[in-house]
Amino acid sequence: MSANPIDGIRRIPLYTFHERAWHWVQAVTILALLVTGAEIHAPEAVSIFGFRTAVLVHNAFAVLLLLNAAMGLFYFVTSGMIRQFGPQPRDFVTMSLAQVRFYAYGIFRGEPHPMQHDAEHKLNPLQQVTYLVILNVLLPLQVITGLLIWSASRWPELVASIGGLGWLVPIHALCAWLFLAFTIMHLYLTTTGETPTTNLEAMVHGDLKTRHDTTTEEAAR
Amino acid sequence: MRPHPSLVLALVIVTVVGLAVVLVELQKPRAPELDDPWSQLPEVAAHVDHSTFFDTDFADGPAVTQACMECHADAAQDFLHTAHWTWAGDHVETADGTQEIGKKNLLNNFCISIESNWPRCTSCHAGYGWDDADFDFADATKIDCLICHDRSGQYQKDPTGAGRPAEHVDLLEAARSVGRPTRANCGTCHFNGGGGNAVKHGDLDGSMMFPTAAIDVHMGRHDLQCVDCHRTEDHDIPGRSMSVSVSNTKRIGCTDCHAAAPHRDERLNSHVEAVACQTCHIPRMAPRVATKMQWDWSTAGEDRPDPDPHEYMKGKGSFVYDTDVAPDYAWYNGTSDRYLKGDPIDPDGITAMNRPHGDAADPRAKIWPFKIHRGRQPYDAELGHFVNPKTYGEGGYWETFDWDQALRLGAEASGLEYSGSYGFARTEMYWPLSHMVVPADESLQCADCHGDDGRMDWPALGYDGDPAERGGRRRAGITRTASSTTTTDHQGGTR
Amino acid sequence: MKSFALSVLVVTAASVIAASAPTASVIAASMTVASAPAASAPAAAVQSTDDAATTSPENPASPFLHPGLHPDVVLRDRDGTPVVASGNPVSPMQSCNRCHDTAWIEEHNAHAWLGLDEAGLARSGRAFDGGTGPINRWDPITYDRVDFDGDFTIGIADWLRRHGARHVGGGFATVDTEGRSLLDLEAGDEPAAFTHARTDDGAITAWDWNESGVAELNCFLCHGDDPANEARIAELSAGRFGTAAIATLANTGLVERDGEAWEWVDALFDEKGAVSAATLGLRSATAENCGQCHGAVVTSAADPFFVAPDPRRRQTETTGAIFAPGRIARSGMNVAGRNTLARAWDVHAERLVDCTDCHASTNNPGAYAEANADRPDHLRFDARRLDVQEYLKRPSHDLAKGRSAQGTMRDHLDGSIRTCADCHDASAAHEWLPYRDRHFDALECAACHVPRSMGPARQTTDWTVLTTDGEPRVLHRGAHGDPQSASTLLEGFRPVLLPRTGPDGERRLAPHNLVSTWYWYDTARERPVTREELHAAWFDGDDVRPEIRRVLDATGNGTLEPIELGLLHDHQIEAVAARLRATGVRDPKIRAETQAYRVSHGVAGRGGATRDCSTCHGETSRVGEDFVLADFAPGGVLPTLVGDGGVEMPGEVHTTSCGHVVVTPDPDIAGLYLLGFSRAPWVDRIGVLAVLMVIAGVVLHGGLRVVLWAARRQRATTPELEPRTEAAR
């Protein structure tokens, strides 16, 4: 798997092209939705596009997000990569604790990551749990409430029958806030690799650059 | 060679964003094609500063012209063929064959005719020295370049000098100042037709020198010059005056710059088929300076105590002036009739000096706004045709107040027969309005024409009643549906 | 994998190319100019001002009405005798009934009966409302109320004298509630309202209808092209009801005034006593006719008109709407920013749509169409209808109506009016609007298409005080100063959007003006204090009673200025209450009510309608904007909404810090959620908290990392002072 290193740096293929494409499209659309959604939510506080344009752009990116999420799901399922997201019960607690210890203590001392990442093992257990919630609870909730808000125009009786915009919009807005919080956290946590840009580069180029000797550590695992 | 994956990734992002743009645009409605008149304005050549080209004073007008011709000889030759020089242009078929008509030889119901009165009338000729019938129209040195091209502002013609410049004019300064003609150049003659400011046209007067937007939106708000619409090539200035022309060629029109149906409102666009742009967009004439609406020559010659020159002048008769006048409306398809010298008249009726062609049934005709100038002028009581009087100069009416003599001298000059007995008959003359366009917010509204208080006389225009209730001329079956053949000339302009 | 990427790329690249092409590449709606040639036609048809003018005394206004089909009319008096013979005033009922069934018309004419022919209780919830129409439903603007069941307040004769200007005659002006002719009544007959009236000094006396005559249904008022309304009003005010109709003909030249009497000009009648329809100026009612009572109507686009507030022109008074075709910039009204207001006062007036085009007669064969609910599913349109002749014989004068605060009569005709959707296809013109259907569900058309009402509209009527003229204190909206003066600047006002259940049962936001009234209420007799009682309490002869003047004259100059009229303090309230008790009012209390008037006229077309999203979607949304009800609350009483027009006023009526009484509508209560305006505050609080916590965590964690990393780096580059291993020692 690992080629002969040059300068002591190994390149471990981590993310496929499609994973990266899906990730960045997701990032761009979520960013656009957050910004335009902010303008719809508080037009005086955020006045960049004008209300009408913000609505149109929000709708456009919502469609793209939906398509991207659907395509992403399809890809992960058919390629089997969806396994990445499932926590392994066998080592879950041990590895979680190790990860927590790393974030709370080890990282300040410059210790290496407790987990070696490769194409088969991309997410640490904490990440797995987080993404499980994000992708299976928060995102669907956001998308469904968004769809229902949109359909208030086309199928007003449907929306009225489930309670109307009065609670759909606040839920949608709350999820948006949580997505914003997550995004900030996510951006920060990407800097917790070997170097602050290791993970970013990996998500752009696809390879994880590491100085560690993977052969001995593979045996140790 | 495979592109770098990161580059491909970037392209993916870009296409997604592009998709978003597409989706946004798809949500927007189809925007109607907007009128873009600014893109149609003529390109103006760079100004060439002539101030260093001349250093010696000029003896007279032709001397200047000769200096101009040193470089602009072909321009001079071109000019010789144009109507501003020849004061003629249209050819009409008469019983005696083809006649070339124009201001040179037509009668109107203002000062009637230039024949026998040349030195006074030709003070507005773009040439020098048209004193009599023998003016040499082939002599290019007689062209007055300065009347149109002077930018010094002090160039003036002697009002009775047959086109020669006035005494005080500094020809050298004028020559040095030449450039693209402005409203002042055109207006010095065209605003003062009929003998004074605002007398003749109704839509051209001194207020157009520096108009406000409320007077004329093109020349006021946007400071367009006459030549921006009357785009001239080879000195052939386009535009049609129904007073001296009858044909539909060399026209300019609103659609030279504006879309044919430029309104956002469909209902307004549906008027374009039967209503000329001018009708709604020129709701009044003479908003600032009074224009002459009636001229009765028959009352001339009386010694009234201190008459108001806007009501009576001994040499001319009595007048009616008016400001802010609502136009008269008539169908006009671009061609018209013209009273020619010698044509018989019905002395008890009203002779139309120029009647527009067209009616409700003519699909090429549209409703236009007109100033109709009404008057009484001398005619030969025996022979039954109008006679032109000599008014200016020796033996003219303005000296002798003798109609018989004036008419005899005038008839001599114009070639008409004069029996010696005269009378006065009524005339009317149509002057279509195309200037003093108001801003869109001031244009006519529905109730200005339709409804009980409207200004249109529907039966007179050939409708059964108000087309807002009964449908337009197509629905009412008034217009003939002719088979379509393309025409080269139409009222829409040169496009 | 690679091919997958490639295919995605191809598809999306194609889309990008499509996106960058101008998407506004579309089919211009251009009308092709006729270019088919034709041979030159015969003599041009031209209109010359020399020709016989279209307007002359013989041919008024439109030349197409005269001569029309209408035959000559023999004008007859009440007995059926031609007036040229008897010299008596004309009776429209007897003159017009040779062809039109005038009795039937009178029966089917809400204008004549004003609700008195409807056996129905008022829906207003006010105990003192006897019915549904202006005659027996208390109208705070006119104040007078005829009580048919209880105590005598004023008589029908009084009502006609004071408010007959807005009554077309007929109905209760000719017969009583039992159907007996007023001319046959005797002093003892009940109800007293018909047989008695008040004298000028307030005493109740019998009214002799045979002397005054009765005001018949006045066809000429609505069906004449130049009715002499002022002359008619003068006759009614003077109590000469029988001559109201003949006075209406004053402008036709058929009558001449001789002192107080009216003389017929015999020369204009033929030998049978008939006159031509042209002389009478007979025509279908136009907006001009309706405007005599309903609101300010202008017919010419070039008219530089000025309208002052006039309670007689009720629509304009209560909504500020002016039905004029000209541009606001072109009128004589001193409207703020008028130079920029190129739109017409009312787009329908501009487009020559008339009142009866929407408010048509309900059996007019040209206008009639069944309601959707009544029509079988398989029919889009039922073409079978009344013959024109039958219609002309019995044209219903129950006109099509919507459902508004004023229109509480003829409930069964609610929604019969031609509404916006009956003529307009809104979807075609609103493609630019996101969530268009949602907007159409939540808003009435007028919510955006009557963005501002520019005429002076009434805001407050304070009947707790009286001016020196004996009138209430009246305030108008949007006028900087006295709106009676042409130089007063008018701002107009933005109508408040209130939820209204329309005749179709749908609840939408509609623009309204709110007119609030403060008045004295007789708690014991459960009715507003009468004008007579109020007058008696306030004035002693022509002067204000000293007890009242004392408590209100703040400047102490002996007269009451308009600014001083206001019952703010307890002692002021008590002073007036005491005087009221002295006149016989047992328990006077100040009450306040707000009436909502839907603004339906003054419609803006494309050029003036609301297009800016931020008008509603934003913090300063007009949907939640304060709407002023009064400059202060007399007696500290806050008004409640009179709710029989199907309107709600969700929100709080309260006093602002400067004393103004305002209502702050709350769309939440109405069940509406507006993006950008409505908020669930807990969402934002949780959200901000979450984000702030994350940021705090990031800063702390990251900061600590940076600091410790820098320290490690420092240690690594500093040389060791002691050997590290044991071996080195």
Side-chain angles (χ1 to χ4, degrees):
Chain A
M1 190 96 175
S2 38
N4 268 324
I6 308 161
D7 304 335
I9 298 174
R10 290 186 184 287
R11 281 186 171 68
I12 305 169
L14 199 59
Y15 300 116
T16 65
F17 176 79
H18 301 95
E19 278 182 292
R20 296 180 344 246
W22 170 81
H23 171 269
W24 285 113
V25 171
Q26 195 83 339
V28 165
T29 53
I30 288 179
L31 182 67
L33 287 168
L34 280 172
V35 171
T36 53
E39 174 144 15
I40 296 170
H41 186 70
E44 274 91 9
V46 181
S47 55
I48 306 170
F49 302 98
F51 192 84
R52 175 171 169 256
T53 309
V55 170
L56 298 177
V57 174
H58 195 84
N59 288 357
F61 277 102
V63 169
L64 294 172
L65 174 75
L66 199 57
L67 286 173
N68 190 51
M71 270 173 29
L73 180 66
F74 175 79
Y75 170 69
F76 282 121
V77 166
T78 52
S79 65
M81 294 230 182
I82 197 138
R83 282 195 305 266
Q84 305 278 344
F85 292 91
Q88 296 298 323
R90 196 179 53 162
D91 298 316
F92 182 77
V93 176
T94 329
M95 290 178 74
S96 304
L97 284 174
Q99 197 68 32
V100 170
R101 187 187 173 281
F102 171 71
Y103 284 137
Y105 179 70
I107 192 171
F108 299 115
R109 293 174 56 86
E111 284 174 12
H113 254 263
M115 177 174 161
Q116 280 314 304
H117 295 280
D118 60 34
E120 302 293 314
H121 307 90
K122 285 175 223 184
L123 303 173
N124 68 53
L126 296 179
Q127 280 177 306
Q128 286 173 328
V129 172
T130 309
Y131 286 124
L132 217 56
V133 172
I134 293 283
L135 293 172
N136 294 296
V137 178
L138 209 60
L139 185 64
L141 195 60
Q142 189 75 325
V143 168
I144 289 170
T145 51
L147 274 172
L148 285 170
I149 292 169
W150 173 81
S151 57
S153 197
R154 186 67 75 86
W155 299 287
E157 311 84 35
L158 168 71
V159 173
S161 67
I162 58 170
L165 290 176
W167 71 270
L168 279 174
V169 177
I171 301 278
H172 193 79
L174 181 64
C175 291
W177 278 114
L178 295 177
F179 262 109
L180 177 63
F182 163 75
T183 306
I184 298 172
M185 197 166 68
H186 174 74
L187 286 173
Y188 172 67
L189 286 173
T190 62
T191 65
T192 60
E194 261 184 55
T195 73
T197 57
T198 306
N199 290 325
L200 180 65
E201 286 175 43
M203 188 50 91
V204 174
H205 298 294
D207 297 330
L208 184 66
K209 292 199 281 196
T210 175
R211 287 181 181 275
H212 298 290
D213 184 358
T214 57
T215 46
T216 49
E217 283 155 13
E218 261 184 53
R221 211 185 286 121
Chain B
M1 184 171 143
R2 276 182 55 233
H4 196 276
S6 310
L7 184 63
V8 178
L9 197 57
L11 274 173
V12 168
I13 306 297
V14 166
T15 51
V16 165
V17 174
L19 262 177
V21 171
V22 171
L23 285 173
V24 169
E25 289 300 313
L26 282 175
Q27 291 174 85
K28 291 182 183 171
R30 300 278 151 263
E33 195 179 281
L34 283 178
D35 191 21
D36 184 15
W38 287 109
S39 63
Q40 305 298 326
L41 280 181
E43 273 183 42
V44 180
H47 172 65
V48 177
D49 187 356
H50 284 60
S51 54
T52 54
F53 293 7
F54 313 106
D55 40 32
T56 49
D57 207 351
F58 293 96
D60 58 12
V64 180
T65 307
Q66 276 169 333
C68 305
M69 281 167 64
E70 282 177 32
C71 300
H72 299 287
D74 46 353
Q77 288 305 315
D78 290 335
F79 191 72
L80 292 180
H81 302 294
T82 70
H84 274 75
W85 174 250
T86 62
W87 281 21
D90 270 15
H91 292 85
V92 294
E93 296 292 327
T94 65
D96 309 314
T98 311
Q99 248 190 68
E100 197 193 16
I101 58 166
K103 190 166 179 63
K104 174 154 94 174
N105 56 10
L106 286 173
L107 304 187
N108 63 29
N109 68 356
F110 282 88
C111 290
I112 305 176
S113 172
I114 73 164
E115 293 182 297
S116 76
N117 301 311
W118 294 280
R120 175 70 184 97
C121 303
T122 59
S123 62
C124 263
H125 179 234
Y128 302 118
W130 186 357
D131 300 292
D132 52 33
D134 303 318
F135 182 69
D136 183 4
F137 283 96
D139 182 358
T141 62
K142 293 285 189 289
I143 294 173
D144 180 357
C145 312
L146 294 174
I147 185 64
C148 297
H149 289 286
D150 165 73
R151 296 291 287 261
S152 67
Q154 46 90 36
Y155 182 82
Q156 264 185 318
K157 304 260 238 186
D158 180 348
T160 57
R164 297 180 185 84
E167 281 290 325
H168 61 79
V169 171
D170 181 346
L171 290 171
L172 178 60
E173 192 189 331
R176 283 177 168 162
S177 74
V178 294
R180 190 171 186 255
T182 64
R183 293 191 297 275
N185 295 100
C186 313
T188 193
C189 287
H190 288 284
F191 295 161
N192 297 303
N197 184 21
V199 167
K200 211 175 218 175
H201 288 261
D203 65 342
L204 288 175
D205 62 41
S207 69
M208 295 286 266
M209 286 285 189
F210 298 103
T212 61
I215 296 175
D216 185 290
V217 70
H218 297 107
M219 294 179 248
R221 185 178 290 166
H222 301 297
D223 199 27
L224 261 58
Q225 304 299 327
C226 312
V227 290
D228 287 321
C229 293
H230 295 268
R231 288 172 227 186
T232 306
E233 275 186 39
D234 300 335
H235 280 84
D236 195 4
I237 306 173
R240 228 79 196 113
S241 173
M242 227 182 102
S243 60
V244 295
S245 310
V246 295
S247 71
N248 207 5
T249 54
K250 283 197 210 158
R251 274 199 180 277
I252 65 168
C254 314
T255 48
D256 289 348
C257 289
H258 293 279
H263 311 95
R264 252 173 284 171
D265 189 307
E266 265 185 76
R267 180 67 78 190
L268 292 177
N269 280 338
S270 68
H271 286 71
V272 164
E273 186 269 328
V275 181
C277 311
Q278 291 90 328
T279 300
C280 298
H281 290 281
I282 305 176
R284 80 290 173 260
M285 54 175 129
R288 294 284 185 278
V289 191
T291 188
K292 190 178 279 188
M293 298 302 295
Q294 292 178 39
W295 185 340
D296 186 351
W297 281 97
S298 68
T299 59
E302 293 171 24
D303 282 305
R304 298 189 187 181
D306 199 20
D308 178 349
H310 283 93
E311 282 176 23
Y312 181 81
M313 286 167 74
K314 184 178 178 188
K316 293 187 172 181
S318 35
F319 326 115
V320 173
Y321 278 81
D322 205 356
T323 45
D324 206 21
V325 193
D328 286 294
Y329 296 98
W331 289 99
Y332 183 34
N333 65 13
T335 62
S336 48
D337 278 336
R338 193 60 171 84
Y339 177 85
L340 302 177
K341 259 188 317 189
D343 282 352
I345 65 161
D346 170 16
D348 298 319
I350 305 176
T351 307
M353 302 305 278
N354 61 349
R355 195 189 290 281
H357 286 159
D359 61 10
D362 180 354
R364 295 185 56 207
K366 294 189 188 187
I367 297 172
W368 275 67
F370 290 92
K371 167 183 170 180
I372 299 183
H373 180 249
R374 296 182 167 85
R376 279 173 176 275
Q377 63 198 77
Y379 78 102
D380 189 316
E382 252 185 58
L383 299 170
H385 57 239
F386 285 117
V387 185
N388 57 304
K390 181 176 172 66
T391 48
Y392 170 79
E394 207 183 302
Y397 186 79
W398 293 342
E399 261 186 30
T400 66
F401 303 102
D402 179 346
W403 274 118
D404 186 54
Q405 180 183 22
L407 291 171
R408 188 169 334 110
L409 291 173
E412 256 176 53
S414 65
L416 281 171
E417 270 190 61
Y418 174 53
S419 68
S421 94
Y422 66 91
F424 290 89
R426 288 180 299 167
T427 56
E428 62 182 15
M429 194 165 179
Y430 287 78
W431 295 81
L433 304 173
S434 287
H435 307 91
M436 293 187 173
V437 176
V438 293
D441 289 348
E442 304 283 328
S443 55
L444 290 183
Q445 293 172 266
C446 316
D448 285 311
C449 295
H450 297 278
D452 287 342
D453 293 310
R455 55 173 67 184
M456 291 290 171
D457 184 346
W458 303 113
L461 288 166
Y463 290 98
D464 289 332
D466 190 334
E469 288 170 359
R470 294 162 186 269
R473 56 182 180 161
R474 286 185 190 284
R475 174 147 63 108
I478 300 170
T479 315
R480 298 192 296 270
T481 47
S483 58
S484 61
T485 41
T486 52
T487 53
T488 50
D489 289 325
H490 60 91
Q491 255 166 255
T494 54
R495 269 212 302 211
Chain C
M1 286 304 178
K2 301 290 180 282
S3 55
F4 176 72
L6 209 52
S7 49
V8 166
L9 219 55
V10 165
V11 165
T12 48
S15 316
V16 169
I17 293 163
S20 51
T23 46
S25 59
V26 264
I27 303 136
S30 62
M31 304 295 295
T32 48
V33 177
S35 56
S40 167
V46 75
Q47 163 198 351
S48 163
T49 51
D50 262 6
D51 293 344
T54 55
T55 51
S56 70
E58 292 78 31
N59 282 330
S62 169
F64 305 106
L65 293 170
H66 309 297
L69 277 179
H70 201 287
D72 293 349
V73 182
V74 175
L75 295 182
R76 298 174 189 274
D77 63 18
R78 276 196 73 88
D79 303 315
T81 316
V83 294
V84 274
S86 63
N88 286 337
V90 62
S91 158
M93 298 292 274
Q94 289 296 321
S95 306
C96 306
N97 69 347
R98 293 303 184 267
C99 301
H100 306 286
D101 187 342
T102 51
W104 189 94
I105 291 171
E106 189 177 4
E107 252 178 70
H108 294 81
N109 191 339
H111 283 80
W113 287 100
L114 296 185
L116 207 50
D117 61 340
E118 291 183 336
L121 290 173
R123 295 193 302 273
S124 60
R126 292 183 291 192
F128 45 88
D129 277 346
T132 56
I135 188 69
N136 51 10
R137 177 181 184 274
W138 188 65
D139 175 12
I141 294 179
T142 54
Y143 201 77
D144 289 322
R145 189 182 67 93
V146 180
D147 196 331
F148 295 94
D149 306 311
D151 299 339
F152 184 91
T153 51
I154 56 168
I156 289 286
D158 297 308
W159 195 94
L160 285 172
R161 290 185 63 185
R162 295 179 195 181
H163 310 298
R166 297 191 70 239
H167 181 240
V168 295
F172 56 81
T174 51
V175 298
D176 72 357
T177 42
E178 311 293 317
R180 295 172 293 193
S181 166
L182 296 181
L183 297 168
D184 298 331
L185 291 181
E186 289 171 8
D189 290 330
E190 288 292 322
F194 285 100
T195 50
H196 290 78
R198 288 189 185 266
T199 59
D200 287 332
D201 56 7
I204 303 172
T205 58
W207 184 271
D208 184 358
W209 290 101
N210 284 290
E211 194 192 320
S212 68
V214 290
E216 285 190 355
L217 185 58
N218 190 343
C219 313
F220 309 120
L221 182 63
C222 300
H223 290 286
D225 60 13
D226 190 14
N229 198 22
E230 294 304 318
R232 167 189 158 260
I233 292 168
E235 294 301 297
L236 290 170
S237 309
R240 296 189 289 270
F241 306 128
T243 46
I246 189 174
T248 314
L249 296 175
N251 290 344
T252 61
L254 286 166
V255 292
E256 275 166 2
R257 205 75 210 278
D258 180 17
E260 266 187 18
W262 295 91
E263 303 281 327
W264 293 104
V265 177
D266 291 348
L268 289 173
F269 291 77
D270 70 9
E271 64 282 353
K272 289 196 294 258
V275 294
S276 70
T279 312
L280 283 171
L282 289 180
R283 65 163 188 201
S284 293
T286 66
E288 240 184 318
N289 298 97
C290 309
Q292 290 173 117
C293 298
H294 283 283
V297 168
V298 179
T299 50
S300 167
D303 188 348
F305 68 88
F306 168 72
V307 295
D310 182 354
R312 202 171 77 207
R313 286 195 294 253
R314 187 52 66 93
Q315 283 274 349
T316 304
E317 181 70 7
T318 55
T319 63
I322 295 174
F323 197 73
R327 297 195 166 95
I328 296 176
R330 214 172 165 189
S331 70
M333 299 288 280
N334 189 11
V335 172
R338 40 176 273 151
N339 283 344
T340 59
L341 291 169
R343 71 168 174 98
W345 283 94
D346 183 289
V347 70
H348 294 110
E350 184 190 33
R351 301 290 166 123
L352 307 172
V353 177
D354 210 76
C355 305
T356 51
D357 290 331
C358 298
H359 297 272
S361 161
T362 40
N363 70 343
N364 182 332
Y368 172 77
E370 282 173 294
N372 286 341
D374 299 333
R375 206 181 334 106
D377 283 345
H378 65 277
L379 277 182
R380 208 195 290 219
F381 175 71
D382 186 345
R384 300 168 300 180
R385 47 207 48 239
L386 210 57
D387 183 79
V388 170
Q389 290 180 90
E390 288 168 358
Y391 167 65
L392 287 174
K393 192 170 168 62
R394 293 202 171 102
S396 172
H397 280 55
D398 279 332
L399 304 177
K401 63 186 285 273
R403 183 177 170 213
S404 65
Q406 293 97 314
T408 46
M409 304 178 284
R410 299 289 190 266
D411 276 356
H412 69 284
L413 291 178
D414 275 357
S416 53
I417 189 177
R418 235 196 262 278
T419 60
C420 317
D422 289 327
C423 290
H424 292 280
D425 181 359
S427 42
H430 290 81
E431 282 184 38
W432 58 273
L433 183 61
Y435 296 102
R436 185 187 65 211
D437 293 325
R438 176 96 191 114
H439 285 89
F440 290 171
D441 283 340
L443 301 167
E444 290 194 7
C445 306
C448 295
H449 282 275
V450 184
R452 204 165 181 85
S453 197
M454 304 306 286
R458 190 178 281 224
Q459 177 192 89
T460 318
T461 315
D462 186 356
W463 282 103
T464 60
V465 295
L466 289 178
T467 65
T468 43
D469 304 322
E471 294 297 319
R473 191 179 69 97
V474 172
L475 286 179
H476 287 87
R477 284 186 196 283
H480 291 246
D482 178 11
Q484 297 287 341
S485 162
S487 56
T488 298
L489 184 66
L490 292 173
E491 294 263 1
F493 72 98
R494 190 150 78 168
V496 61
L497 292 178
L498 297 176
R500 180 186 91 109
T501 310
D504 59 354
E506 297 295 326
R507 189 161 164 271
R508 295 188 173 92
L509 290 181
H512 289 84
N513 180 32
L514 296 173
V515 182
S516 306
T517 310
W518 275 259
Y519 59 99
W520 283 105
Y521 184 73
D522 186 335
T523 319
R525 274 180 271 193
E526 290 185 325
R527 58 158 175 72
V529 157
T530 66
R531 196 198 282 261
E532 285 69 31
E533 287 165 345
L534 194 56
H535 216 264
W538 196 269
F539 292 105
D540 179 10
D542 283 332
D543 303 314
V544 180
R545 289 189 187 274
E547 309 92 306
I548 293 174
R549 185 159 34 81
R550 241 198 324 269
V551 295
L552 290 177
D553 190 359
T555 53
N557 62 354
T559 52
L560 288 183
E561 316 292 328
I563 193 90
E564 292 170 325
L565 290 174
L567 301 181
L568 281 160
H569 304 290
D570 285 340
H571 69 279
Q572 296 169 324
I573 298 166
E574 181 47 38
V576 180
R579 290 305 328 153
L580 281 169
R581 280 194 288 269
T583 60
V585 180
R586 269 179 298 200
D587 189 9
K589 287 268 187 293
I590 294 181
R591 274 207 180 177
E593 65 168 39
T594 298
Q595 182 99 41
Y597 293 91
R598 183 176 180 273
V599 190
S600 314
H601 305 88
V603 176
R606 182 200 315 260
T610 304
R611 257 185 107 100
D612 184 10
C613 308
S614 61
T615 307
C616 295
H617 293 279
E619 260 169 41
T620 54
S621 168
R622 73 178 279 201
V623 180
E625 195 177 51
D626 280 353
F627 195 74
V628 177
L629 298 179
D631 49 351
F632 66 91
V637 181
L638 294 180
T640 52
L641 182 72
V642 178
D644 52 351
V647 192
E648 299 152 45
M649 195 165 74
E652 202 200 333
V653 176
H654 60 104
T655 319
T656 62
S657 50
C658 43
H660 290 165
V661 181
V662 302
V663 60
T664 310
D666 187 353
D668 226 15
I669 300 176
L672 281 174
Y673 191 95
L674 273 95
L675 291 172
F677 172 73
S678 304
R679 289 291 171 84
W682 55 271
V683 164
D684 286 336
R685 283 190 213 125
I686 294 177
V688 169
L689 195 63
V691 170
L692 284 177
M693 275 169 43
V694 165
I695 290 174
V698 162
V699 165
L700 275 171
H701 197 270
L704 205 53
R705 274 174 62 198
V706 166
V707 164
L708 293 175
W709 170 81
R712 277 202 309 275
R713 274 256 306 221
Q714 174 130 85
R715 273 204 303 278
T717 54
T718 315
E720 293 289 339
L721 296 177
E722 290 180 6
R724 280 172 89 195
T725 59
E726 293 287 326
R729 265 216 206 120

